[in-house]
Amino acid sequence: MSSISIEDTDGRREILRRMLTIREFDSTAGDLFADGEIPGFVHLYIGEEAVAVGACAALDEEDYITSTHRGHGHCIAKGLDPNRMMAELFGRRDGYCNGKGGSMHIADVEANMLGANGIVGAGPPLATGAALTSQFKGEDRIALAFLGDGAVAQGQVHEAINLAATWDLPAVFLVENNHFGEGTPADEQHNIENLSETAESYNIPGFTVDGMDVTAVNEAVAEARERARNGEGPTLIEADTYRYRGHFEGDPEPYRDEEDVKHWQERDPIDTFAERLIDRGDLTEAELEEMRSEIAAEIEAAVEYARDADLPDPSEAYDDMFGEPVPEIEEFASRLRADGAGGDSR
Amino acid sequence: MAAPTIGLLVNPAAGRDVRRLTGGATVSDTYGKRRAAECVLAGVGLADDPVDVVVAPDGGEIGQRTVAEADRSNVRLLDVAVGGTSADTHRAAAAFRERVDAVVVFGGDGTTRDLAIEIGDVPLLAVSTGTNNVVPTPVDGTVAGAAAAFLATGAVDADDATYRHTMIEARVDDGRSIRGLATVGVVDQSFVGTRAVLDPDDFLGGGVSRAARGEVGLSGVAGALTRVDPDDGRGVALELDADAERSVTAITVPGVVERVGVAGWSHLDPGDERVFAVEEAVVSVDGERELEVQNAEIGVRPVPDGPRLVDFDAVFEAAPLAADAHAVERR
Amino acid sequence: MSTQPETASSDRTETLTVREAIRAALREEMEQDEDVFVMGEDVGKFGGVLDVTDGLFEQFGGERVRDTPISEAGFVGAGVGAAATGSRPVVEVMFSDFLGVSGEQIMNQMAKMRYMFGGKIEMPVTIRTTEGGGMGAASQHSGTPHTWFAHFPGLKAVTPGTPAAAKGLLKSAIRSNDPVFFFENKMMYEQSGEVPTDPGYTLPIGEASVEREGEDVTVVATQRLVGESLDVAEDLAGETSVEVIDVRSLYPLDTDTLADSIRKTGRMVVADESPISYGVHAEIVTRMVENEFFSLDAPLQRVGVPDTHIPFSSPLEDEVVPDGDDVRDAISQVV
């Protein structure tokens, strides 16, 4: 069963809520980064919300996903808790990765979210592997890899899709074509216009959907998921979408003009979907406003949660390297700590 | 007097939607479309008189690349904005209407309809690359280019090789209306979702402007019951119900032949209207869901003054022999 | 699963080659844990290009002994993803020289996932791969790159020098919830020795083994050089008393066993087929300097490949691939 049904009113409202939550989370994260409260690199998902939410709504909770460096949207769409996500962005012990991962590596294995990923194109082989586990163990779950347009040029993505196709693995490869691979337009990185056309070389279905339309993504992923569960193998879906922000926060964006952004914003995935729900009577204007303010409060609370959460103890840097620890790390740690290095200056 | 000119439009999105997964629809890739467009440019050489070609730009840059690589003075790009949506087709059609003698369009029923709405009396050579194609013809691009050139140069009289394709219209009692080239459907769903109608069982009914046994979708269902040619000027209304006592076999989507329950049907002569009263439904045209309606009456009626479509066989039947045919014969 | 030594229910042994010992380890682990599967190029119907997996496909079928495309990034990555989701894959990379093809999945996924995710994921994947020169396979099929993997945080690396070590370490590697690289020197497959038959037999990862006791000099060796060093020790018996240690595990490394030995002998030769600079030799020497500086009686010696690739033609290959004679020469430098 899909986790959220677009066929009923409550489902559609939940889909809208999740898209709004992503937008609010990422807008807030962008502000906090600009203010210097969040360190490191932050890649925002604003503009692409329909892809993550449309896809994850079509998945069962047992289904796996792999994500990208632009992963906050996938996390929220998969049902992760904004408090613990924000805590991870703040480097807190209560974050999903105990502060070891940060924005680019949020993962929640219990939610079958196998991690955001700092390496472009690294998720698809992992999804192929998760799908292999499902097939090997005779499970009913599938694995969906989110990947960007840039990743389509990566060799390991080809290898992952070829393997999944050859073995009829229950996988879905969802290309989020946001039209820029880092700072270079997609059409300067690929010699095909529709990235879904690569599917033909694997003898699997490939098609392009409007990634600004959550219903289009949802239906496509639902069909692909059914196909995967029926043992018919993987599907490649390209969602045509757009990121409103830079590749990373602080990106000067010399590569595009504001007109393009405006053009895409006219088809904003949240506004258009909200409008449709209001037109249909699924939601009133007042209820939409109420939803927006609830979400704003929720994200504000997440920020407070993160600010108040404990930082990890420096000694935790030595944890989690192995299931069966090695003496080397214990020894090096004890030497450093005996010297007072890595002490409690923070 | 400007040289005879043909327009060329390629829908980059045709043949790439989700129906590649749900049915047996074939895939149409960009490279194939670009090659087909290049074939059109070659095909126009079959006419004795020179022909200019104006190519519409598109979101997939197929038209743009075709022009750039043709590098010939008689091949130009149409100067219209590109937004990557079906509005591109409408804009191109409006521009073509003023300046070309025939248009070759690569796409499916949807693309052809988008063009038909704005194209006026310009003969339309619809070549299939789309999904549920009832209207366009699967023909090689070179052949399509040659046919267009014969019409544009006057070597073949357009009146001898074209017909008016009836359209079919759905009018909602809230004032909205929409026209399909071959079909309008009333779909038992409350939500448009993606545009493609994925499951034929979802149709409550609809209307068609043509009916023949070998057609795919609603016009094929109607074709199991009666025969209506696209230039008859009339249509067929269908009332479908999976539990109906009577059913017919039809090709519902590519790759699927199945029984379809028919609760009732009737011919629609010009002026006739069949009304569907629904609580919640979606109106589709040519296989694509378009309008959500609630507590409404939907009137379906044929519209005889549709676009002027080219019959390829008729073009070549009327086409002149080569200018030097007799000289060759004598030797 | 524990990698602690288990009490053998019997002391029975059988004579096996390294190849047979590895095959026995795979078979036993697949028989007792249905989450274990093997994949790699030609491991199934073909039986492995060096025959190691021969017979497993017939016993376990294609689901558990999977032939992959020639696609190291894809199937090593799939191994990582499968391990992260509850499978226990044993991935064969036919030649270690091909590990670079799958470098990304090893470096940034396999090695880092547990740590990056705050310890919330297990990574029970084993990579089996062949190393070493000596069969005229030339530079792209003869390398010994195990230092890279022993060096890279988050990975464990083992290099058995005997059939018993091969079986015991591979079984531990498969049972481990950490990624373990199992490096097989391809010239050793026919080397035979006594191997315990008990299906519960394992060897802990991180323990070296004193294969021969001696008083004058310690030879710390890996893989093929363990056997060749034992031969040298036998030759020198009565003249020089040579202690020979099979390191077995490069990471973690058993510093204590090595330190105990050098405390006794005061002299050490490190013999490992990897390139000499910046490698396994350097790490072992450093640990001895750090831990047993005042026990050293002579400069520590390194035997390895002299920082070249492995050439094809046999006079060239023989020149750079280290052997017992090089160990003997090194011993003569310090005794």
Side-chain angles (χ1 to χ4, degrees), chain B residues 276-312:
Chain B
F276 295 85
V278 294
E279 282 179 22
E280 276 197 320
V282 173
V283 179
S284 69
V285 293
D286 296 320
E288 311 230 319
R289 287 175 277 171
E290 294 287 348
L291 296 180
E292 288 173 5
V293 295
Q294 285 160 320
N295 299 317
E297 293 195 340
I298 305 157
V300 174
R301 62 179 195 114
V303 182
D305 57 345
R308 211 173 165 199
L309 282 168
V310 173
D311 176 342
F312 285 92

Side-chain angles (χ1 to χ4, degrees), chain A residues 2-294:
Chain A
S2 64
S3 57
I4 305 171
S5 171
I6 203 162
E7 298 293 329
D8 63 52
T9 307
D10 287 346
R12 289 191 287 270
R13 288 168 64 121
E14 179 60 24
I15 283 168
L16 178 63
R17 172 181 287 277
R18 289 205 184 180
M19 289 201 291
L20 283 164
T21 305
I22 294 170
R23 175 122 349 150
E24 184 68 21
F25 184 96
D26 264 4
S27 305
T28 305
D31 293 346
L32 293 165
F33 179 84
D35 293 345
E37 262 197 278
I38 295 177
F41 296 118
V42 175
H43 306 82
L44 302 184
Y45 199 69
I46 296 171
E48 305 181 34
E49 294 89 345
V51 184
V53 177
C56 290
L59 298 181
D60 187 84
E61 285 172 6
E62 290 299 306
D63 291 332
Y64 299 107
I65 64 165
T66 65
S67 172
T68 69
H69 56 286
R70 200 175 305 289
H72 304 164
H74 308 140
C75 292
I76 290 170
K78 196 77 172 88
L80 270 60
D81 173 9
N83 286 3
R84 295 189 60 204
M85 287 175 60
M86 195 64 86
E88 188 61 36
L89 265 58
F90 274 72
R92 307 294 158 143
R93 182 190 284 146
D94 279 354
Y96 271 107
C97 305
N98 305 9
K100 285 208 178 76
S103 166
M104 264 190 291
H105 305 301
I106 298 178
D108 183 6
V109 181
E110 283 176 20
N112 300 304
M113 195 292 181
L114 299 177
N117 211 310
I119 306 296
V120 170
L126 301 175
T128 291
L132 177 55
T133 289
S134 177
Q135 185 191 67
F136 175 58
K137 296 194 172 193
E139 297 171 342
D140 198 26
R141 48 169 104 179
I142 73 142
L144 180 144
F146 289 100
L147 60 151
D149 47 277
V152 174
Q154 282 278 11
Q156 60 176 330
V157 171
H158 158 66
E159 296 195 22
I161 300 174
N162 181 57
L163 201 60
T166 303
W167 289 350
D168 285 333
L169 297 180
V172 178
F173 299 95
L174 177 48
V175 179
E176 304 178 307
N177 186 349
N178 68 19
H179 293 269
F180 295 99
E182 305 193 0
T184 300
D187 62 8
E188 293 177 29
Q189 303 195 31
H190 307 279
N191 196 40
I192 49 174
E193 300 297 333
N194 295 308
L195 299 177
S196 61
E197 287 182 20
T198 56
E200 284 143 40
S201 58
Y202 307 107
N203 193 16
I204 62 170
F207 52 90
T208 301
V209 299
D210 181 359
M212 304 304 267
D213 178 355
V214 70
T215 66
V217 178
N218 184 258
E219 286 189 6
V221 173
E223 293 291 343
R225 178 172 178 272
E226 272 313 296
R227 187 170 180 276
R229 290 174 68 240
N230 291 337
E232 295 171 73
T235 301
L236 179 68
I237 303 170
E238 176 189 23
D240 196 29
T241 184
Y242 199 75
R243 66 168 147 82
Y244 295 174
R245 305 284 274 248
H247 167 51
F248 53 89
E249 284 306 278
D251 177 358
E253 301 179 53
Y255 48 83
R256 68 171 161 195
D257 61 46
E258 275 306 304
E259 283 305 305
D260 267 359
V261 184
K262 278 186 202 147
H263 165 72
W264 284 88
Q265 282 175 337
E266 283 165 15
R267 301 201 293 122
D268 184 84
I270 297 177
D271 292 349
T272 53
F273 191 64
E275 219 168 275
R276 279 170 76 174
L277 297 198
I278 289 167
D279 285 351
R280 295 178 43 80
D282 285 343
L283 187 76
T284 64
E285 290 276 5
E287 284 170 329
L288 174 62
E289 281 320 301
E290 193 186 325
M291 194 185 278
R292 284 182 192 278
S293 46
E294 278 168 14

Side-chain angles (χ1 to χ4, degrees), chain C residues 27-91:
Chain C
R27 177 176 289 128
E28 287 175 15
E29 293 310 299
M30 290 179 78
E31 280 170 348
Q32 72 173 39
D33 183 348
E34 62 184 17
D35 289 343
V36 177
F37 69 90
V38 171
M39 67 173 161
E41 293 154 6
D42 293 339
V43 298
K45 293 179 206 129
F46 193 102
V49 72
L50 295 168
D51 286 341
V52 175
T53 52
D54 191 35
L56 298 180
F57 178 87
E58 289 73 13
Q59 182 177 350
F60 297 103
E63 286 289 305
R64 296 188 71 193
V65 187
R66 285 182 174 255
D67 285 316
T68 64
I70 303 167
S71 184
E72 286 81 4
F75 69 76
V76 170
V80 175
T85 50
S87 298
R88 199 167 278 277
V90 182
V91 181

Side-chain angles (χ1 to χ4, degrees), chain B residues 20-315:
Chain B
R20 249 45 50 181
L21 189 53
T22 55
T26 50
V27 174
S28 179
D29 66 30
T30 304
Y31 182 71
K33 288 174 186 166
R34 189 151 58 83
R35 291 289 298 134
E38 288 165 4
C39 288
V40 172
L41 303 188
V44 300
L46 200 65
D48 289 321
D49 296 328
V51 174
D52 286 357
V53 182
V54 183
V55 184
D58 59 83
E61 302 204 354
I62 296 169
Q64 292 90 316
R65 285 180 71 161
T66 302
V67 172
E69 282 166 31
D71 194 27
R72 297 212 298 260
S73 62
N74 66 333
V75 178
R76 302 189 311 277
L77 200 64
L78 185 66
D79 183 19
V80 290
V82 177
T85 68
S86 62
D88 292 349
T89 305
H90 291 271
R91 273 193 294 272
F96 280 148
R97 180 178 189 157
E98 304 304 322
R99 71 186 82 167
V100 305
D101 303 300
V103 174
V104 178
V105 52
F106 287 93
D109 290 338
T111 317
T112 310
R113 180 191 67 248
D114 288 336
L115 201 64
I117 285 167
E118 299 282 348
I119 201 70
D121 286 338
V122 179
L124 212 51
L125 297 96
V127 183
S128 172
T129 62
T131 306
N132 277 327
N133 296 323
V134 173
V135 179
T137 311
V139 59
D140 172 68
T142 327
V143 175
F150 283 137
L151 291 166
T153 58
V156 172
D157 186 341
D159 290 338
D160 294 339
T162 60
Y163 59 94
R164 288 279 179 192
H165 196 300
T166 313
M167 294 188 82
I168 185 97
E169 185 175 65
R171 292 193 294 188
V172 188
D173 59 0
D174 61 9
R176 292 180 294 171
S177 73
I178 189 159
R179 263 182 208 190
L181 196 48
T183 71
V184 298
V186 180
V187 185
D188 185 20
Q189 282 170 336
S190 61
F191 196 63
V192 165
T194 45
R195 308 250 164 235
V197 179
L198 304 177
D199 185 353
D201 283 349
D202 289 338
F203 280 114
L204 296 169
V208 298
S209 61
R210 55 192 287 167
R213 203 73 213 280
E215 296 186 352
V216 178
L218 286 181
S219 60
V221 175
L225 302 161
T226 181
R227 166 88 193 201
V228 174
D229 287 336
D231 57 350
D232 281 359
R234 52 183 194 153
V236 178
L238 289 168
E239 192 183 326
L240 304 181
D241 180 353
D243 300 326
E245 280 179 23
R246 249 187 96 188
S247 65
V248 293
T249 46
I251 306 171
T252 50
V253 293
V256 181
V257 171
E258 62 185 333
R259 294 203 78 84
V260 178
V262 180
W265 71 277
S266 59
H267 282 116
L268 292 173
D269 287 321
D272 287 353
E273 188 168 82
R274 167 73 169 83
V275 176
F276 295 85
V278 294
E279 282 179 22
E280 276 197 320
V282 173
V283 179
S284 69
V285 293
D286 296 320
E288 311 230 319
R289 287 175 277 171
E290 294 287 348
L291 296 180
E292 288 173 5
V293 295
Q294 285 160 320
N295 299 317
E297 293 195 340
I298 305 157
V300 174
R301 62 179 195 114
V303 182
D305 57 345
R308 211 173 165 199
L309 282 168
V310 173
D311 176 342
F312 285 92
D313 289 341
V315 173

